[in-house]
Amino acid sequence: MLAILAAILPVFIVVGFGYVAVRYNLFADSAVEGLMKFSQNFAIPALLFRAMSTLEIGAAFTPSLFLSYYGGATLSFLVALLGARLLFERPWEDSIAIGFSGLFANGLLLGVPVTEQAFGPQATEGNFVIISVNSLYCYGIGITAMEIARARRSGGTLSQLPGRVLKAMFRNAMILGIISGLAVNASGLTLPVFFTDALDLMARAALPAALFGLGGVLCHYRPEGDLRTIALIVLASLFIHPATTWFIGTVSSLPEAGFRSAVTMAAMAPGVNTYIFANMYGTARRVVASAVLIGTAVSLFTTWAWLTLLH
């Protein structure tokens, strides 16, 4: 319990710094917007590039690992999306952003340190394998769904969809960071030290900047009127995702190390990228930002429960 608390509390503290800074006019709203753009377009892509370019690609890349984790993530996405649309009658664009909150767990910020503290540093290989395709898979689904919804609203034809999706995908700096990092990894190219050091400087700023900016955003977005939708996101991300991952991992005989990594990653709260996605399209930002904060708080207890079952 203390190890999980030690992993989660820093997230709250950095978010709290951002909240207090904006609440008491120590940090302007325009600065928050700039900070989110910096983290979204520069710092996080640098972090992903470095992670992908140095990842050891080996035996850990097993189909059962991807099937168990992303099978659970996809079901969580559908539950949150259809629940928002059919139960709460939100617009399709809002529903897709809400569904994305059930799809994109906070694996990098919480999943890796929780796994490391619970099972040891050697247990995180499966976590990084999952992270290696996480943004590509999640943004691929999210962008495709959002572009379909937008084409439907604007009267565009489905023949235009592949071009829209590819254009949106390859304008996303985070996906470009992943693809270019994997390309460097596969080619065996050795980058100059001064260049990698510069990327590392930016990468170290990525998560703190995104969390601080999220705190500033939360200062203006309140959960009033959205509590049922927030509860749906929390249910999908903290219960449906890990439970489905557990089931698929058991049925597919996923090895123990990968099973622990997959379930622990699936048990994490919605990540900062869920707000970044909602902010990209200017939809459902209040409910998504609130779900990140509330989901992270609830995950203190649910993660403890999942880790107890894993042990």
Side-chain angles (χ1 to χ4, degrees):
M1 185 68 173
L2 290 177
I4 299 170
L5 184 63
I8 292 177
L9 272 182
V11 178
F12 280 111
I13 293 172
V14 177
V15 172
F17 284 160
Y19 184 97
V20 171
V22 174
R23 175 69 177 79
Y24 292 100
N25 298 317
L26 302 174
F27 204 72
D29 290 336
S30 59
V32 172
E33 182 179 355
L35 187 62
M36 293 303 290
K37 286 184 177 180
F38 164 73
S39 61
Q40 176 182 333
N41 295 327
F42 299 99
I44 292 177
L47 173 68
L48 293 171
F49 175 87
R50 288 294 288 146
M52 295 305 101
S53 64
T54 58
L55 182 66
E56 291 290 337
I57 301 177
F61 278 75
T62 59
S64 57
L65 177 63
F66 290 113
L67 180 62
S68 60
Y69 180 83
Y70 289 106
T74 304
L75 180 60
S76 177
F77 168 75
L78 293 173
V79 168
L81 186 157
L82 296 176
R85 177 62 181 172
L86 301 178
L87 296 179
F88 306 134
E89 299 181 344
R90 297 186 72 108
W92 276 113
E93 288 86 346
D94 278 18
S95 300
I96 292 166
I98 290 165
F100 193 82
S101 299
L103 178 67
F104 206 120
N106 198 350
L108 182 61
L109 190 64
L110 289 178
V112 172
V114 167
T115 303
E116 182 174 344
Q117 293 192 54
F119 305 110
Q122 73 286 350
T124 60
E125 183 181 23
N127 298 61
F128 285 107
V129 171
I130 291 170
I131 290 170
S132 70
V133 298
N134 193 49
S135 291
L136 193 62
Y137 181 83
C138 294
Y139 275 99
I141 288 179
I143 290 172
T144 299
M146 191 66 79
E147 292 300 329
I148 290 174
R150 286 188 159 190
R152 177 177 173 272
R153 185 182 62 181
S154 63
T157 63
L158 289 180
S159 62
Q160 300 172 326
L161 180 60
R164 288 173 178 264
V165 173
L166 289 174
K167 182 179 179 180
M169 288 278 285
F170 285 95
R171 290 177 61 186
N172 186 293
M174 286 175 282
I175 290 178
L176 292 176
I178 292 171
I179 293 174
S180 57
L182 288 173
V184 169
N185 192 321
S187 68
L189 179 67
T190 300
L191 299 175
V193 174
F194 64 84
F195 181 70
T196 58
D197 285 349
L199 289 177
D200 288 339
L201 283 174
M202 291 186 62
R204 286 195 289 271
L207 300 177
L211 289 172
F212 188 92
L214 180 62
V217 170
L218 287 172
C219 186
H220 298 292
Y221 293 123
R222 300 291 187 273
E224 290 86 1
D226 295 316
L227 291 177
R228 293 187 304 166
T229 309
I230 294 169
L232 173 66
I233 294 172
V234 171
L235 173 67
S237 60
L238 299 184
F239 296 96
I240 293 175
H241 188 178
T244 306
T245 297
W246 186 297
F247 174 77
I248 297 175
T250 302
V251 171
S252 63
S253 300
L254 180 63
E256 182 180 12
F259 186 84
R260 286 176 169 177
S261 292
V263 173
T264 304
M265 292 281 281
M268 296 300 105
V272 175
N273 280 283
T274 60
Y275 175 76
I276 292 174
F277 180 81
N279 193 50
M280 281 169 54
Y281 287 100
T283 184
R285 287 177 290 189
R286 179 176 69 173
V287 66
V288 170
S290 299
V292 171
L293 185 62
I294 293 173
T296 304
V298 174
S299 70
L300 172 64
F301 306 100
T302 58
T303 302
W304 173 81
W306 287 111
L307 288 177
T308 300
L309 291 173
L310 285 172
H311 277 294

